[in-house]
Each structure stands twice: as structure tokens, then as C-alpha cells.
Amino acid sequence: MATRTRAPEGHENIVDIDVSSEMEGSFLEYAYSVIYSRALPDARDGLKPVQRRILFQMDQMSLRPDKAHVKSSRVVGDVMGKLHPHGDTAIYDAMVRLAQDFAMRLPFVDGHGNFGSLDDGPAAQRYTEVRQAKAALAMVADLDEDVVDLVPNYDGAYMQPDVLPAALPNLLVNGASGIAVGMATNMVPHNLVEVVAAVRHLVAHPDATLEDLQRFVPGPDLPGGGRIVGLEGVREAQATGRGAFRTRATAKVEQITARRKGIVITEMPYMVGTERVIAKIKDGVDAKKIEGISNVVDLTDRHHGLRLVVELKTGFNPDAVLEQLYRYTPLEESFSINNVALVNGQPRTLGLREMLEVYVDHRLSVTRRRSEYRLRRAQERAHLLAGLLTAVLNIDEVVQLIRSAESAETARTQLMTVFDLTNEQAEYILELRLRRLTRYSVLELESEHDELLRQAAELEEILGSDQALRTLVSSELADMAAEHGTPRRTVLLESAGGTATAAAAPARGRKASSTPLEEPDEPCWVLLGGTGLLARTGGADAPLRTGARSAHDAITHAVPTTSRSDVGVVTSAGRVVRLEALHAPALPATSTAPGLSGGTSVTDLVVIEKDEAVIGLVGLGEDAGPVALATARGVVKRVSPADRPNNRESWDVISLADGDRLVSARHASDDDQLVLVSSDAQLLRFDASAVRVTGRGAQGVAGIKLTDGARLVFMGVAPTDDLGGYGVATIAGPANALPGTSPGSAKVTPLDRYPGKGRATGGVRAQRFLRGEDELQLAWVGPMPMRAVGSGGQAIDLPETDERRDGSGKPLPQAVAAIG
């Protein structure tokens, strides 16, 4: 190819250029620019360049969370004019995503106005306003202390950070997505508390394995909640950086009218909107792929959140219809993980350990540079104050010397010579205001000088010890988790569990499309897990007597029944909600352990109020035996499950006093022992026969004598003739800790080490508190061995059995959500 250019003399000059070489060079430059400057995030702060420039410029504009919002167009204009050499649309789109709580697990921009939804775009930038969210302050913290390198902007007029300090592990918490040239990234969000726990473990144990870190980060935590079905792809992505998993909407069957049921969807898969789902349902019904649906109503609003109601035709099995919805609509979606990020300017595919390593190295570097900067400033200031204090002690001579000097230069030289001062000290004295020389100011100077020397010594200790540096980083991360952490939203399931696959019973006047699902009325156990998962076994074998550990979650309640009978779900408001055992997903018949990985959240199957919580599971048969109830104020009661109204879906079993709530519900015969554990670590054991069986309207009797400010944490039931096979597990921690952030200390002791006492007494101490602990956060009384799990169902090791009934606990590696 030839190109014609104008020569300086005005004559044409023809230059021959090889097309393939030109295209190759230009394309490589373009590809590198897209990869490095636009599409891929940096593994250290998890941000793309445009996102980093937005947060930096908002910090420069002092758009703090306590300041007023400003027009989005003002921020976009400043970013485009000073830092980002691209169009305003790209900048505004990036800023909108930073403000969307359905896209970001931890938003960095606090938006005011219409910032869009999953089905619709945002308003124009002239109509919206922004300011920094609280989490954004952690990303830009300490920027003025030389913690990261600054580089010139596109025209060299301004300086910008090459990477943000990132006090939060943003890459894992918020994920990222982007399409570059020849590569792409698609990273999924995670829970901040879990990620910080993993980072802190890696900081303390640099040789930690992937399996060690997976105990803290069991899987993604999506902003919209939902459920992840199948964790094999998640674990593969954690190991290799690539994998896939399926996300499902959270749905439950409700009685929407007196004679009609419906499927109520309250959480969607990641980045799926209701309008898209409704359109797909309509297409499926029109194509005869989905049967049994009469109407779809979107009741979503800002007060009640997402609520999509799928109304069913009479005679159709809701479970079968729901399975069709999962199959033919976006209520079940696949998410492909591709963890590609920039490491030292090069794109790399990273597993969980690699991402955490990069972040840990970054935070260690940031903290070290910040400490070095503060040490220099402290030493410089202490040096000036030392000279000033010398001048104060010799103030008359200093004043006389300055007055007799012919010039400032002469005065500075004489001060340095006479009082052995440095040039900086002498210059500082010459610029001093005389009012600083009062007695009060002198005392302040001495105090400030001593404080600076103390700070310098602490900083030198940090810089001189790798362990001290790592301890500081870990402590700061713990503070970030406590300030910005939230509970897990997404439920992790090893598999989908047993669900219906056929359309259901035939509607009147037309031929059935399939055979309805039928199950024989066989003995089974209905199981409730510590994370709220519900399942049933396929046989009559008692699950808690096998000693087996479940694959996911811990069993807290097990009720024998038959597959076509009812069980009762007990709530903290003192209600029992009827549940058909058939609605609980069946565990695989070949399973050797009662794992709840195929279970369903109990709140998907029964309707409870917002201020209620599920606290137990009881049988409703005639032979089920009395049910013992215990409240937070130490009141106990026994009631017969047969004492219930006919044809009622729920009913009250205890009359609660104002402000009281139910904390435990378990079957207890006269031959059993009731074991009550209070928040001040007192345990009381007495015969269940001391509490006679009363009617549903009774209030109960005093069970344990509580001290001021204490409450009942747990009530367990143990057979009198088998106390040696039962144990007591207690977990202590600080009362003011955010749930899920303080692991605390745990203790496991055989139940027979605690003496029996009379009802309504104070009990004996069950655990001695360590420093910083002031209450029991969790307790459990049940058969040995016990199992503890985290909020995501991951196993947490409990300490070895302690024969001392009032000994102190052993620190836990992470927070425990339930014991079973």
C-alpha cells in the first residue's frame, strides 16, 4: 500500500507501507489500550480505570456522605475534563453501576434520583445527583499519605493514582464484568464478612491452602439473594479461575385466595428483571410449554420489595409448575465465572487464593508506605519541636541574638552555631509567633513532642516487624467488616433436591398432559437445619442416632412422621404453622448422611410475618408427645400438639407477655430433662415433669431465674437415662458485636457434668468469659457428636470436649451460625 504526503518543498512524497505490518501494529496497540485502560479491572483494587477515576475525582470534590448531593453531570464533566479521555456516556454508565445495589454487593456511589432497574435504564445525568457512599471512603482512604504511586493524566496536567488504597477487598466483594479484545472477565460478587475472614486468615497464615480459604468463602453472595444450585462449578472457579453455576429465584407457594394457590417469587437470579421473566412466562404459556398458570401479577414496590405472583389454575401441583418455570424461564440462569484481572499490568486468570494473595500484598504495601510516611512526618515534626523547646529554654538569649543580627540569614547562622540547631530548626524559630511562647503553649509543645516520639516508636516497631505489620492490616480489615459487613443473602445448595417434574392433575374438560406426582404414605423424618433448610428422609431410620455428619448444614430439629402427614413449624411469636411433610424436598435414598444440601428454605414453604423467625419443628400426630416451650424471659410451658383447632393453617400455642418471644420448642415427655441456658452463662437442668401440660392459652410458669439484663438463649431436652450421651455447647462473645463478625470462643462439655436443680432457680455457670466477652451468643444441648456451621452452611470445627463445667472457651476460627 502507498500513501501520499506533502513534502516541505511543496512536492508530493510517496511512502510505501506494508499493510499487514501496519494492521498488526495498530491492532496490538488498540488491543493493549482496551485491555489495560478500559475493560479489565486491576486485581489490587478491583476497579477499571474509569471507576477508579470517578471515585478519585469525587474524593477530590469532597463529596462525602455527610455532604449534599451534586448533579451527576458535574462529576462526569470533571472526570472527563481532568482524568478520563473518553465520552461522557461511558463515564456516566460506569458511575450508574457503582450506585446500583442490584448490581453491586457494596455500592460506592450514593445516588439520588432514577438510577435504573434490571428492566429499565437510568435517567439522564442532568436529572440525577450523586455523592460518595460510606464504602467509597474506605477505597480512597489515606491517599494523601503517599500510599500509592501517582501518575500523570492523559495530558500531563494533573496527577491521578495508579491504583486506589482499597481498604476493602473490592474485586471479590463486588465482582466485575468487561469485554476486551481477545479476552473477557466475568466475576461474581461475594460477602464482605466472609471475604475479610479469608483475607485475615491468609494474612496470619501465608501458606494457607485453597481448602483452608474455602472454609471462609463457601461461595458467591449475590446482591439480589436467590439460591445457587450446585457448588461444583463454584469450587472449580475458586481453584482455576473458571467455572459455572446455576442461580435460581427464591419462590414459595402461598394461598393467595381461599381456593387458589400461587407461586410467589421474592428474589431473582443475578441481573434478571421481572419484566423479562413475565415475557418468557407468556411465551411459554402460548407455546404450550408451561401449563397450569392463570395469571402473573407483579406486586413489586419500594416498601415490600420484589414480589412476583404466579397464579395457578385449580388442580395443578405448584411444585411441578415451578419446575417448568425453572426450565423454560430466566427464573433459573447459568452464570459463567471467568476471573480475569490485571496483575502487574498483565491480564491473568486468578483463582480464589491468587486473588486474595494479590490483595494481601497490596494492603501490606499500602500500610507499610503509610507507616513510613507517618514516621517521616512525626520525626520531622519532633525535630522542629526539639529545636523550639531549646529556644524556649534560652528565650532571652535567642531574642537578643535575633535583635542584634543584621539580617535573617545572619540570625539563622548564629542560631545554628550558638544553640547547635539545624537549618530547619533555626528557620522554624525565626518564623515563630511570639504568642506560642506562653507557659500554656510550652506545656502543649512538650506534650506534643512526647506524643510524637511515642508515635514514632510505634511506627518503627510496625516497620521493623513483619508480624506487627500483618497484625495491623488484619485489625483494620476487621474494622471494615464490622462497619460495612451485612449478612449473607444467597443460599448455597449442593444440588437442587427432589422437585416435581410433571405438569400435574388434569384441568376440567381437557386431557392431562402428564401423570400427577404420587408418593406413598411411608414413615420418614422431617429435618430442619441451622441455616433454615428443610428436608425429609426417605425412610424411618432416626437421622440423629447414626452419628453421621451432613454434607451441608447441621440438623437442629428432626421430627418422625409420614410423608403425607403434617408437621408444625414453630415461630418466635408463639405460633405453629402447619406444613405438609410432602412439601419438604426428599433427600436421596442412597445418601449415607442426612445432609440438607438438597433442602429448601423453610420460609419458602410456610408464611411467617416480618417480625417472626422460625425457632423449631414439632410433630402434630396423636403420639407425638407434649411440646416444651421456652421464652427469652425464662418462662417454660408444655402443651399437647393434639390441642389445636380444626382446619386452621396456624394457631397460637402460648400467650406471650409484651416484649417476650419464644426461643425454643422441643418434644419433652415426663421422663426427660429440660436444660435451660441463659445469656449470662447460667445452665439449669430439671425434670420435665415439673412443668405440667396446659392448654394453648396458658402463659406458662417460671423456668429459670434470670439476672437483670439476661435472657434465655436456648432450651434443650435430654432423656434422663442417657445424659452421658448428650453434651452442652456454648459460644461466648461481646454483646455489641455485629452478627457474623466476632467468632468468639466455644466450649463443649458433657451434660452430666452439670448437677440437676429445681425449677425457677438460678442454675450453675456453664462457661467462664474471656476478656472482651460478656454474654453467650449461642448455646446447644443435644446428642454427641455436635457440628457447628457458618452462615453459608460451611463446617466449623468445635474444640475438644472440656470436662470442666465452668471453664473458659477456645477461640473459634470464624463466626458460628448454628450448632446441631
Side-chain angles (χ1 to χ4, degrees):
M1 177 182 179
T3 181
R4 182 174 285 110
T5 60
R6 181 70 61 181
E9 296 81 3
H11 300 285
E12 291 185 346
N13 182 29
I14 298 176
V15 179
D16 292 329
I17 298 176
D18 182 69
V19 176
S20 60
S21 299
E22 179 66 20
M23 290 295 294
E24 180 180 351
S26 299
F27 184 80
L28 287 176
E29 291 180 5
Y30 167 73
Y32 178 80
S33 174
V34 172
I35 291 171
Y36 182 75
S37 302
R38 296 176 66 177
L40 299 184
D42 192 297
R44 294 170 292 179
D45 61 6
L47 297 173
K48 300 177 185 179
V50 62
Q51 296 171 328
R52 185 179 304 114
R53 290 160 183 166
I54 290 172
L55 296 182
F56 173 68
Q57 187 58 37
M58 292 181 73
D59 183 61
Q60 295 296 296
M61 297 170 67
S62 298
L63 300 181
R64 304 286 191 270
D66 56 346
K67 301 292 182 64
H69 294 79
V70 302
K71 284 287 186 181
S72 298
S73 54
R74 177 181 167 188
V75 178
V76 171
D78 278 12
V79 173
M80 182 171 59
K82 295 182 178 180
L83 304 174
H84 198 63
H86 298 284
D88 60 335
T89 301
I91 299 172
Y92 184 57
D93 288 346
M95 187 168 66
V96 165
R97 189 180 189 279
L98 293 175
Q100 292 175 333
D101 56 2
F102 55 83
M104 302 278 288
R105 188 61 178 81
L106 190 64
F108 291 143
V109 172
D110 179 11
H112 183 238
N114 177 16
F115 276 81
S117 66
L118 289 168
D119 297 305
D120 197 11
Q125 56 185 282
R126 61 183 178 274
Y127 298 124
T128 60
E129 299 176 340
V130 294
R131 65 182 177 188
Q132 287 178 301
K134 289 184 178 180
L137 299 181
M139 296 296 293
V140 298
D142 308 323
L143 262 178
D144 57 346
E145 295 184 306
D146 191 31
V147 292
V148 294
D149 294 333
L150 297 180
V151 296
N153 70 331
Y154 60 90
D155 63 356
Y158 300 95
M159 301 297 290
Q160 61 181 347
D162 179 54
V163 65
L164 292 186
L168 297 171
N170 174 58
L171 185 65
L172 272 166
V173 172
N174 281 320
S177 62
I179 300 176
V181 179
M183 63 184 63
T185 184
N186 199 29
M187 308 180 71
V188 67
H190 291 75
N191 185 272
L192 173 64
V193 175
E194 296 175 355
V195 174
V196 166
V199 174
R200 295 184 65 195
H201 183 78
L202 187 60
V203 169
H205 307 88
D207 56 347
T209 64
L210 175 62
E211 289 73 18
D212 296 334
L213 300 175
Q214 286 175 328
R215 291 167 56 88
F216 300 95
V217 187
D221 188 22
L222 308 176
R227 293 179 290 179
I228 293 178
V229 182
L231 301 182
E232 294 82 1
V234 172
R235 298 190 182 102
E236 181 182 356
Q238 289 178 337
T240 66
R242 296 179 184 271
F245 62 87
R246 288 181 297 149
T247 62
R248 274 188 175 182
T250 298
K252 58 184 176 181
V253 178
E254 292 187 10
Q255 197 77 28
I256 56 177
T257 65
R259 297 185 178 181
R260 177 167 293 182
K261 290 185 177 181
I263 299 173
V264 179
I265 300 161
T266 55
E267 294 176 349
M268 288 287 187
Y270 186 43
M271 301 304 289
V272 173
T274 56
E275 292 184 8
R276 178 183 165 196
V277 171
I278 294 173
K280 287 294 184 180
I281 292 176
K282 182 179 182 300
D283 294 342
V285 171
D286 293 342
K288 307 298 183 182
K289 292 181 178 179
I290 303 176
E291 299 181 80
I293 296 177
S294 62
N295 193 20
V296 181
V297 182
D298 188 2
L299 301 179
T300 303
D301 58 35
R302 293 186 177 182
H303 300 288
H304 302 91
L306 176 65
R307 186 175 175 84
L308 183 66
V309 180
V310 180
E311 299 179 4
L312 304 181
K313 295 178 180 178
T314 304
F316 279 80
N317 186 339
D319 294 331
V321 177
L322 181 58
E323 182 64 23
Q324 290 183 331
L325 293 175
Y326 285 146
R327 181 180 301 177
Y328 297 115
T329 73
L331 291 180
E332 179 175 303
E333 287 275 75
S334 178
F335 188 98
S336 297
I337 301 176
N338 189 23
N339 296 332
V340 178
L342 296 175
V343 180
N344 297 324
Q346 301 296 322
R348 284 181 52 192
T349 302
L350 306 173
L352 175 64
R353 193 181 192 285
E354 290 77 16
M355 286 188 284
L356 293 177
E357 279 183 330
V358 171
Y359 179 74
V360 168
D361 292 342
H362 176 58
R363 283 306 300 173
L364 290 173
S365 172
V366 166
T367 307
R368 183 182 298 107
R369 291 181 60 165
R370 184 188 64 194
S371 300
E372 291 172 349
Y373 175 85
R374 292 178 178 178
L375 177 60
R376 290 195 304 270
R377 295 296 299 272
Q379 290 174 338
E380 291 170 359
R381 178 63 179 168
H383 178 66
L384 295 178
L385 290 181
L388 183 57
L389 289 172
T390 299
V392 169
L393 295 176
N394 302 276
I395 187 61
D396 295 335
E397 294 86 345
V398 170
V399 172
Q400 180 63 33
L401 187 150
I402 295 174
R403 290 183 61 186
S404 61
E406 297 181 355
S407 64
E409 181 64 29
T410 302
R412 180 169 56 252
T413 302
Q414 292 180 350
L415 285 174
M416 294 170 59
T417 302
V418 174
F419 299 103
D420 193 21
L421 302 176
T422 64
N423 182 70
E424 292 79 8
Q425 290 174 324
E427 187 66 30
Y428 186 70
I429 293 172
L430 291 175
E431 296 178 355
L432 179 69
R433 293 185 178 183
L434 292 178
R435 63 182 181 182
R436 294 293 305 274
L437 301 180
T438 63
R439 177 176 177 81
Y440 183 72
S441 296
V442 171
L443 295 176
E444 285 185 340
L445 291 175
E446 292 176 344
S447 176
E448 182 183 359
H449 184 260
D450 294 340
E451 177 65 19
L452 288 171
L453 294 179
R454 185 189 64 80
Q455 292 177 4
E458 291 180 354
L459 292 169
E460 288 176 342
E461 182 181 356
I462 293 172
L463 293 172
S465 168
D466 181 70
Q467 182 60 40
L469 181 65
R470 290 178 176 271
T471 300
L472 177 60
V473 170
S474 179
S475 175
E476 292 177 348
L477 284 169
D479 294 340
M480 289 293 103
E483 182 177 359
H484 303 289
T486 55
R488 165 171 283 275
R489 300 174 185 173
T490 301
V491 177
L492 304 177
L493 303 176
E494 288 283 357
S495 61
T499 53
T501 59
R508 180 180 299 180
R510 73 180 198 43
K511 186 178 179 180
S513 60
S514 60
T515 303
L517 297 177
E518 295 286 348
E519 282 197 35
D521 191 16
E522 295 181 342
C524 67
W525 287 74
V526 179
L527 312 175
L528 179 64
T531 59
L533 295 181
L534 192 76
R536 61 185 168 90
T537 64
D541 293 337
L544 296 183
R545 296 299 183 186
T546 64
R549 291 161 64 94
S550 67
H552 189 76
D553 208 346
I555 299 172
T556 59
H557 291 79
V559 174
T561 183
T562 61
S563 56
R564 291 191 175 274
S565 298
D566 298 335
V567 294
V569 178
V570 188
T571 75
S572 58
R575 291 195 310 137
V576 173
V577 184
R578 186 181 69 86
L579 173 66
E580 296 180 27
L582 198 59
H583 286 172
L587 297 174
T590 57
S591 176
T592 59
L596 300 187
S597 57
T600 296
S601 175
V602 65
T603 55
D604 292 348
L605 301 176
V606 297
V607 180
I608 63 173
E609 302 297 330
K610 286 187 176 180
D611 55 348
E612 283 183 297
V614 173
I615 56 99
L617 199 67
V618 296
L620 298 180
E622 295 291 339
D623 56 348
V627 176
L629 309 171
T631 75
R633 293 184 179 178
V635 175
V636 296
K637 174 185 177 179
R638 285 204 301 161
V639 63
S640 172
D643 182 13
R644 58 171 174 146
N646 295 327
N647 301 322
R648 290 279 298 275
E649 293 296 319
S650 66
W651 58 92
D652 294 333
V653 289
I654 187 173
S655 179
L656 292 173
D658 291 342
D660 202 2
R661 61 184 179 85
L662 211 59
V663 296
S664 293
R666 296 181 178 278
H667 287 283
S669 66
D670 289 344
D671 297 330
D672 291 330
Q673 297 269 303
L674 299 185
V675 185
L676 281 66
V677 185
S678 63
S679 60
D680 56 352
Q682 296 296 307
L683 183 147
L684 176 63
R685 175 170 66 86
F686 59 88
D687 294 335
S689 59
V691 182
R692 66 184 182 89
V693 178
T694 57
R696 292 185 296 108
Q699 291 186 341
V701 297
I704 184 173
K705 184 178 180 181
L706 298 173
T707 59
D708 292 340
R711 70 185 190 284
L712 189 68
V713 176
F714 183 81
M715 180 199 70
V717 177
T720 304
D721 57 356
D722 190 22
L723 295 181
Y726 278 61
V728 179
T730 52
I731 297 179
N736 58 354
L738 185 71
T741 61
S742 176
S745 64
K747 173 176 167 287
V748 178
T749 306
L751 179 58
D752 57 8
R753 300 301 185 271
Y754 298 91
K757 289 195 172 186
R759 181 180 63 82
T761 59
V764 297
R765 185 164 60 185
Q767 180 172 344
R768 189 185 301 273
F769 292 143
L770 299 174
R771 178 178 298 178
E773 300 175 346
D774 49 18
E775 73 166 13
L776 287 187
Q777 298 175 335
L778 198 64
W780 166 262
V781 178
M784 303 282 275
M786 300 179 180
R787 183 183 190 189
V789 294
S791 59
Q794 69 274 23
I796 299 175
D797 292 333
L798 290 172
E800 296 294 331
T801 302
D802 189 348
E803 298 293 334
R804 302 171 301 165
R805 65 172 178 81
D806 63 342
S808 57
K810 302 294 184 182
L812 288 168
Q814 64 183 111
V816 170
I819 306 174

